[in-house]
Amino acid sequence: MKVFTVALLIWTLLSLSRSSSKAWPTHTVCRDGNLELLYQSCDPLQDFGFSVDQCSKHLKSNLNIRFGIILREDIKELFLDIALFTKGSSILNYSYPVCEEDLPKFSFCGRRKGEQIYYAGPINNPGFEIPQGEYQVLLELYNEHRATVACANATVICS
């Protein structure tokens, strides 16, 4: 289930309700016959870019993604929280340390406010099939001070 959640992060990010009346645009990550992946930033101050090289309900291993954002916070440490919902019911909550002070996993670990993160590369996971249904995924990247780095609500529709 851990891998499934990480894979959902890779392709899906969509919006939370925002307190302001103006929301960020909804971005289409992919749309291919049986699968549609959408996301919208839920950070009231900034949007970000995300894409994936594959759009298939049969997820292959070594999925390639691209993610870009300009940092509003330093990221000495970076964490990811993922919550997966279907039909209003929570089916999974997962936390993952993306960057730890003593164990930087990516080249962008340690970047400072105002710098850009751009990651283009593989996310390793075993292949699996996405079950039919509609899923909402709430994602939050935050630093060691719990300051939001990026936030999104994603929708996955698989038929």
Side-chain angles (χ1 to χ4, degrees):
M1 205 56 159
K2 177 177 172 180
V3 174
F4 177 72
T5 304
V6 172
L8 283 177
L9 161 68
I10 295 168
W11 353 278
T12 58
L13 303 170
L14 193 84
S15 81
L16 279 176
S17 300
R18 293 173 22 146
S19 58
S20 67
S21 61
K22 196 157 179 131
W24 292 107
T26 298
H27 304 286
T28 301
V29 175
C30 73
R31 184 177 293 143
D32 182 20
N34 299 330
L35 186 66
E36 185 173 10
L37 307 167
L38 310 162
Y39 78 92
Q40 184 181 39
S41 175
C42 55
D43 182 336
L45 299 177
Q46 80 180 105
D47 201 0
F48 59 90
F50 179 81
S51 67
V52 62
D53 288 349
Q54 176 198 5
C55 188
S56 171
K57 70 181 198 174
H58 302 287
L59 185 65
K60 66 179 183 178
S61 59
N62 292 327
L63 183 66
N64 287 313
I65 68 160
R66 286 175 299 285
F67 174 81
I69 191 169
I70 296 173
L71 294 172
R72 291 186 301 110
E73 302 287 341
D74 294 347
I75 55 168
K76 192 175 195 179
E77 294 183 310
L78 185 64
F79 304 93
L80 171 66
D81 283 353
I82 303 169
L84 178 63
F85 299 88
T86 187
K87 298 179 183 170
S89 297
S90 176
I91 56 176
L92 180 69
N93 287 297
Y94 177 70
S95 293
Y96 177 75
V98 177
C99 299
E100 296 173 284
E101 188 171 4
D102 297 330
L103 185 60
K105 297 175 185 164
F106 297 96
S107 61
F108 57 77
C109 295
R111 295 268 170 96
R112 313 273 303 179
K113 180 179 178 177
E115 293 182 320
Q116 179 184 28
I117 289 180
Y118 178 74
Y119 176 77
I123 299 294
N124 297 323
N125 63 72
F128 64 90
E129 185 169 333
I130 301 168
Q132 184 174 347
E134 183 171 328
Y135 305 93
Q136 291 72 44
V137 185
L138 174 59
L139 303 130
E140 183 184 9
L141 281 169
Y142 57 93
N143 71 7
E144 66 276 12
H145 303 295
R146 292 283 306 166
T148 298
V149 172
C151 175
N153 190 355
T155 299
V156 178
I157 303 167
C158 186
S159 57

